[in-house]
Amino acid sequence: MAHIINGKEIAEKFYEQIKVRVGEVRRQGVEPCIALINAGDDPASALYIAKKEKLAAYLGITSIVYKLDNDVSENYLSELINSLNNNNKVHAILLQSPLPKHLQFRKIVDIIDPNKDVDGLTTTNQGKLLTGEPAIFPCTPLGILHMLDTVHQNIAGLHAVVIGRSTIVGRPLAQLLLNANCSVTSLHSYSRDLPAICKTADILISAIGKPLFVGREFVKSGATVIDVGINRIEKDGIKKTVGDVKFDDVKELAAAISPVPNGVGPMTVAYLMSNTLSLAFRCC
Ligand code: NAD
């Protein structure tokens, strides 16, 4: 039976360190502040923004939410981001995805000043991740590395398999694991023979958004399994949230496994706050 990597508990411990850093920044006369931009009417986004607002308030970080209509123009959004770039009271800017369909995420995200890019998604910060320069890196992959730290003394030399190659999770995660000296395999929707490749992983991470896709046939005995997926399903008339991994089957085989909910999700939000402080410190 696997050790459960409880992201909620790990995040709650991490809050204590974040609070210390909030105190340090405030003592320097800086009030850490994050702008949260939520364009459109995606119900999951509204929920995530509310969680971010709540945690910011708990930790003593100011948050300002910009709720924009589904038909917001590219021009309006660009002007908003530019004004936040020029506002020295705002240290961090988050552009919640998905954007309404008429807007291109890559084009809009690159308007954010890389020095305020709290989720490390601008081309500048993603490039720095690739070249190994210090920068702000995406929150979900940072949270996953922190979770791995709780069960591995050293991940160097381990084979890490990442399923999914989005710019927000899969790609930066693969790069961070490579920077930590793992041997890394990236799998995606064109990959063949997924179960056989995944079965060679010491660390298996699924970030695809396909409910209960990863079963026992993907998992080597003794592996660490991290489930990033957040999927809403309906079973026997009841709606619930599940990950990409068949938790009950896989936990019998893995040495350690993260659940959904209370896995990667809380770590992502905690790292959003941690990155906000890293950016606020630059102003001290
Ligand atoms: P995305 O849709 O941008 O990317 C999905 C990736 O999965 C793609 O690279 C695609 O090639 C790959 N993929 C899809 N189907 C596949 C298949 N059958 N076999 C192999 N690869 C396949 O999604 P995303 O933004 O990276 O998010 C992925 C999942 O993680 C979603 O469920 C999302 O809700 C969740 N997520 C969770 C957190 C968190 O904090 N827990 C954060 C971000 C995303």
Side-chain angles (χ1 to χ4, degrees), residues 48 140 163-166 168-170 187-190 194 207-210 213 227-231 244 264-265 268:
Y48 297 147
T140 302
I163 325 178
R165 58 171 172 183
S166 69
I168 196 161
V169 188
L187 301 178
H188 45 79
S189 47
Y190 286 79
L194 262 73
I208 58 176
K210 297 270 183 287
F213 183 85
D227 190 352
V228 187
I230 301 175
N231 309 291
D244 293 345
V264 175
T268 296

Side-chain angles (χ1 to χ4, degrees), residues 193-200 204 212-220 246 249-250 253:
D193 211 0
L194 262 73
I197 300 170
C198 292
K199 235 183 168 4
T200 67
L204 176 62
L212 312 176
F213 183 85
V214 175
R216 287 176 66 92
E217 69 282 14
F218 285 67
V219 179
K220 180 168 83 173
K246 288 179 184 151
D249 292 351
V250 170
L253 203 58

